[in-house]
Amino acid sequence: MAKKEILTDLWVYELLKEANVDLHPQGSNIKDIDNALKSASKAGTGKVGFPEYSGIVKDFVLIIENKADVSLHIKRNEKELICSEVSSVKNYAVNGALFYGKHLAKNTNYKKFIVFGVSGNEKRHKITPIFIDERGGYKELEDVETFTLFNEKNIDEYYTKNILKEQTPEDKTTEEILKDAKNLHEDLRNYGSIQDKDKPLIVSGILLALREMEHKGFSIDSLIGDETNTDGEKIYEAIEKNLRRANVSPQVKKDKLLSQFLVIKDTKAINEINEFLKKTPLKHFTEFLYENIYKNIKYIHSAEDYLGRFYGEFMSYSGGDGQSLGIVLTPKHVTELFCELVELKPSDSILDPCCGTAGFLIAAMHDMLQKTENPEVQRNIRKNQLHGLELQPYMFTIATTNMILRGDGKSNLEQEDFLKYNPSQLQEKGCTIGMMNPPYSMGSKNNPSLYEINFTEHLLNSVVKEAKVVVIVPQSSMTGKTKEEQAIKENILKYHTLEGVITLNKNSFYGVGTNPCIAIFTGGIPHYKDKVVKFINFENDGFEVQKHRGLVETVNAIDKKQHLLDVWFGRLEAETKFCVESTIEATDEWLHSFYYFNDDIPIAEEFEKSISDYLTFEFNMIMQDKEYLFNNQKS
């Protein structure tokens, strides 16, 4: 047992180190805590007692007590409360942690304690946090996989969300975006009868025009409803100036963008003074966007595709997100995960051939810029290392606008049909990373080229040898139901390597009704027979659907993602219910559910409960004169 305890101690130490949480083993290097522990014997003798780890993060005292066996994780009494009797405190991880936390709350001046009962090993374990206040009152919290939530960067947010049950500033920003999107959608409908696909174009165009305010090339006050030089014409002229200032080239690209923005000056209803508004709807939209959107995105320097997020919510009201065309906008947490799964470097070049609002490119740009302080390298990232294709003209316009608003990155965006683009020609761009969310549910036996798996193969053929390719697709594309899809899967393995597939939360694209997964490949390297592939079930990702808010990130999402990355990069072993490693065939369903097997050895309590449940069931049936159910068991 002692040897197992030591192994658990070492595993917990590695978890703390990776989470950047600095705790002291077997005692404390903090005088007040060390003094209090001199009377913290779990036997209640008043002598010395030491938890496995203790320390302070900001103004929180953290305590860890661990056991090698998960069956010794927690002991409850008949009222389902955590037992406080000596034998339970000494023998169970959670009970011991709670004892130490309460003792320190009573014998120190600290006011906030988070204690952890930890049991098991890296493959099968439980980590249960409990919050204790200065009076010794405690609150049981949801189990975690890592200690990432409790480092200096995350612990305040964890406390706010999980213990105080209050919103963080990020939550409030999300709600404001949802509210703004709803209000603007209603205004566009009420004051202009604008077509769904034109609504985001009007938003994009106005945001570009507002950039000219900094150069005295545009003024909201100039929008007076003049019939000779209409508000739409003034906004269009400002857009044209800003595209020149942003150095959008070649000319044909600028012309494509400007043709999309013609709706602003050609739609009569939004250029006439509205009786209710006492101004033109265009001026109303411009004022609204300046106050609620432009001021925010101007100062944001993060992976947040603020405009894409706004569009996603905005278009979900109008239907303008192109779902009829299979277009599904990618959530921010997925675009960021892509960057982490491929460990982006400042030298990488990215290709997204179905770029939508450019969410992947913005996330990649931010990730790479954060990893270098060299201004020349940063300039090169923006100018030469971000490549995107988008077929739909209005989506291409939105993507280009988005990249301009976010500080360039628009130079290599093209309005093209990816499937008609010669992959060898795309390969010459030298892209080392491919990211894609292709159109969904467009393929059929009559048109197999539109299957998501065909888009995937085309992307693999469009990047350089050994490039990493990550795609988010419906799970059905990994099963290969049709013979055409099976043939494509076979061909992929002939020339490329499947590294792994991650099954995602069914609500990742909330409101769309798609069960997605992420597939990760290495391009240009044939998949050899004995190659071991990782299949991960990441349905429990820390995101949940909340009424009136849609898909919401809980604070546990940080912990869940860290655990995923630890398993993906081989830093941790995981139970098969989370990760299965297996060789594959093209005919397999490339999903965790296909390869999963339960390798857990039941603990004694589970076995006893199963036997007890069965005997109770048998007794009840006999009492109901149904003993015939058991007569043929031995035949």
Side-chain angles (χ1 to χ4, degrees):
M1 177 62 77
K3 184 178 179 182
K4 287 184 177 179
E5 293 283 1
I6 291 170
L7 292 175
T8 302
D9 288 348
L10 292 172
W11 165 64
V12 171
Y13 170 77
E14 291 298 327
L15 281 183
L16 290 169
K17 184 178 176 183
E18 186 180 342
N20 199 25
V21 176
D22 185 18
L23 300 185
H24 195 76
Q26 295 298 317
S28 178
N29 55 353
I30 298 162
K31 187 176 179 181
D32 287 353
I33 295 177
D34 189 55
N35 286 336
L37 290 174
K38 287 177 181 176
S39 59
S41 167
K42 289 189 287 187
T45 62
K47 294 182 179 180
V48 69
F50 293 133
E52 265 69 49
Y53 295 94
S54 65
I56 293 179
V57 176
K58 290 195 168 179
D59 57 343
F60 296 87
V61 176
L62 270 54
I63 300 290
I64 296 175
E65 181 73 359
N66 54 249
K67 298 293 179 185
D69 192 336
V70 288
S71 67
L72 299 176
H73 186 69
I74 187 170
K75 179 76 170 177
R76 296 184 184 275
N77 62 22
E78 67 280 356
K79 295 180 180 179
E80 284 302 300
L81 297 175
I82 300 170
C83 287
S84 57
E85 62 193 36
V86 171
S87 61
S88 300
V89 168
K90 290 175 71 174
N91 295 322
Y92 290 85
V94 174
N95 304 63
L98 181 58
F99 168 81
Y100 281 124
K102 284 188 168 186
H103 182 84
L104 292 177
K106 184 179 178 182
N107 293 282
T108 68
N109 292 320
Y110 294 103
K111 299 184 183 303
K112 294 186 288 188
F113 303 80
I114 301 178
V115 302
F116 302 86
V118 181
S119 63
N121 53 47
E122 67 175 352
K123 185 173 182 181
R124 189 181 186 203
H125 58 262
K126 294 193 77 174
I127 304 175
T128 300
I130 297 176
F131 175 75
I132 303 171
D133 61 32
E134 70 270 30
R135 295 181 178 180
Y138 69 91
K139 175 185 179 67
E140 294 185 54
L141 302 164
E142 187 176 329
D143 285 3
V144 295
E145 293 286 349
T146 71
F147 293 105
T148 305
L149 293 171
F150 307 97
N151 59 28
E152 287 205 5
K153 178 182 176 184
N154 298 321
I155 197 165
D156 285 333
E157 181 186 5
Y158 180 86
Y159 177 69
T160 301
K161 282 189 170 182
N162 279 27
I163 297 164
L164 298 182
K165 297 294 184 183
E166 294 177 357
Q167 287 183 315
T168 64
E170 172 66 17
D171 292 328
K172 293 171 185 174
T173 301
T174 302
E175 289 201 352
E176 286 162 7
I177 293 171
L178 298 178
K179 182 181 175 184
D180 292 342
K182 183 178 181 180
N183 290 341
L184 186 56
H185 166 254
E186 290 177 356
D187 286 353
L188 284 161
R189 180 186 62 196
N190 294 337
Y191 302 128
S193 300
I194 307 299
Q195 292 183 51
D196 285 347
K197 73 177 183 64
D198 290 336
K199 291 172 185 175
L201 293 172
I202 290 172
V203 174
S204 290
I206 291 173
L207 289 171
L208 284 179
L210 287 170
R211 280 167 53 90
E212 281 300 297
M213 291 175 65
E214 298 171 34
H215 307 282
K216 311 299 182 187
F218 177 70
S219 166
I220 297 175
D221 292 338
S222 71
L223 304 179
I224 57 175
D226 186 354
E227 293 182 8
T228 305
N229 186 9
T230 66
D231 289 356
E233 287 171 340
K234 292 171 184 174
I235 291 171
Y236 186 85
E237 288 166 13
I239 294 169
E240 195 169 13
K241 285 180 189 174
N242 199 254
L243 292 178
R244 281 201 305 272
R245 197 179 305 281
N247 196 26
V248 173
S249 60
Q251 183 64 41
V252 65
K253 181 175 178 178
K254 195 186 320 183
D255 290 344
K256 283 181 180 180
L257 296 174
L258 287 170
S259 70
Q260 291 292 303
F261 292 129
L262 285 171
V263 65
I264 292 172
K265 68 174 184 177
D266 291 347
T267 304
K268 188 177 180 183
I270 59 176
N271 278 282
E272 295 177 333
I273 292 178
N274 179 277
E275 289 183 10
F276 176 76
L277 295 172
K278 308 300 182 187
K279 64 184 87 169
T280 66
L282 266 180
K283 182 171 185 177
H284 172 68
F285 303 151
T286 304
E287 290 172 335
F288 182 94
L289 286 167
Y290 178 71
E291 289 298 327
N292 297 289
I293 305 299
Y294 182 76
K295 283 182 176 179
N296 290 317
I297 62 175
K298 182 180 175 183
Y299 299 108
I300 285 180
H301 301 287
S302 71
E304 178 70 82
D305 176 12
Y306 192 103
L307 193 53
R309 203 162 138 196
F310 173 81
Y311 281 134
E313 295 302 329
F314 169 68
M315 291 186 288
S316 70
Y317 290 103
S318 66
D321 61 349
Q323 283 187 36
S324 62
L325 299 170
I327 297 169
V328 182
L329 298 180
T330 314
K332 170 204 172 196
H333 69 278
V334 173
T335 62
E336 289 181 328
L337 180 59
F338 269 44
C339 298
E340 291 169 295
L341 287 169
V342 298
E343 295 184 296
L344 275 184
K345 304 181 296 295
S347 57
D348 279 317
S349 288
I350 319 300
L351 172 62
D352 179 355
C354 304
C355 70
T357 64
F360 282 127
L361 296 177
I362 286 172
M365 178 172 72
H366 173 72
D367 186 282
M368 292 191 291
L369 291 175
Q370 292 295 107
K371 290 173 178 173
T372 177
E373 295 182 0
N374 185 318
E376 185 58 33
V377 173
Q378 290 181 334
R379 191 182 74 83
N380 198 57
I381 288 169
R382 290 188 173 98
K383 187 175 180 181
N384 299 316
Q385 294 172 222
L386 303 164
H387 302 266
L389 307 178
E390 176 52 51
L391 174 61
Q392 301 301 326
Y394 79 97
M395 291 295 281
F396 168 71
T397 303
I398 294 166
T400 306
T401 303
N402 211 352
M403 295 302 277
I404 291 171
L405 290 168
R406 292 303 303 268
D408 215 346
K410 87 291 177 186
S411 302
N412 299 299
L413 295 182
E414 302 174 59
Q415 188 198 326
E416 295 287 352
D417 185 339
F418 171 49
L419 294 181
K420 292 180 181 177
Y421 215 122
N422 186 330
S424 297
Q425 191 176 352
L426 279 172
Q427 214 170 34
E428 291 177 0
K429 295 179 183 292
C431 291
T432 56
I433 303 290
M435 298 181 176
M436 181 175 63
N437 178 3
Y440 287 1
S441 305
M442 303 297 289
S444 65
K445 291 182 179 179
N446 295 327
N447 198 350
S449 67
L450 293 181
Y451 282 127
E452 296 91 349
I453 195 70
N454 186 57
F455 276 88
T456 301
E457 183 184 25
H458 204 66
L459 177 54
L460 283 162
N461 294 336
S462 302
V463 293
V464 299
K465 188 175 181 179
E466 296 190 37
K468 285 287 181 283
V469 167
V470 196
V471 299
I472 181 167
V473 292
Q475 292 176 27
S476 58
S477 67
M478 292 291 105
T479 62
K481 294 296 185 186
T482 68
K483 64 180 182 180
E484 290 83 5
E485 289 174 291
Q486 286 287 356
I488 295 170
K489 286 173 68 179
E490 209 167 300
N491 212 44
I492 285 176
L493 296 187
K494 188 175 179 180
Y495 297 103
H496 312 285
T497 297
L498 176 63
E499 300 292 347
V501 178
I502 301 168
T503 304
L504 296 180
N505 185 335
K506 291 178 172 59
N507 290 309
S508 294
F509 295 119
Y510 177 63
V512 177
T514 296
N515 295 337
C517 63
I518 293 173
I520 303 99
F521 299 85
T522 298
I525 305 293
H527 191 107
Y528 61 93
K529 186 178 179 182
D530 296 328
K531 163 72 178 175
V532 174
V533 181
K534 286 187 176 178
F535 295 93
I536 294 177
N537 180 359
F538 193 51
E539 291 178 293
N540 183 10
D541 62 356
F543 282 77
E544 63 183 27
V545 174
Q546 294 182 5
K547 195 174 182 180
H548 305 307
R549 295 185 67 197
L551 190 67
V552 175
E553 178 181 7
T554 71
V555 71
N556 296 316
I558 298 170
D559 172 64
K560 303 289 187 187
K561 183 171 75 169
Q562 185 60 52
H563 179 62
L564 167 70
L565 294 172
D566 287 342
V567 173
W568 176 252
F569 289 113
R571 296 189 288 260
L572 282 180
E573 196 177 347
E575 296 176 86
T576 55
K577 66 182 179 182
F578 185 78
C579 177
V580 178
E581 298 188 27
S582 175
T583 57
I584 65 168
E585 301 287 344
T587 52
D588 291 350
E589 297 182 7
W590 293 344
L591 292 169
H592 176 271
S593 56
F594 180 82
Y595 299 96
Y596 171 64
F597 61 97
N598 188 348
D599 65 348
D600 287 346
I601 300 172
I603 60 177
E605 285 86 345
E606 291 172 342
F607 177 75
E608 289 168 5
K609 186 178 185 303
S610 296
I611 294 297
S612 175
D613 288 346
Y614 175 79
L615 291 174
T616 301
F617 168 73
E618 184 175 7
F619 178 76
N620 287 336
M621 292 299 99
I622 291 171
M623 293 300 292
Q624 295 176 46
D625 295 326
K626 295 181 180 179
E627 62 270 20
Y628 62 84
L629 292 170
F630 310 96
N631 289 341
N632 297 321
Q633 284 186 0
K634 296 180 182 179
S635 62

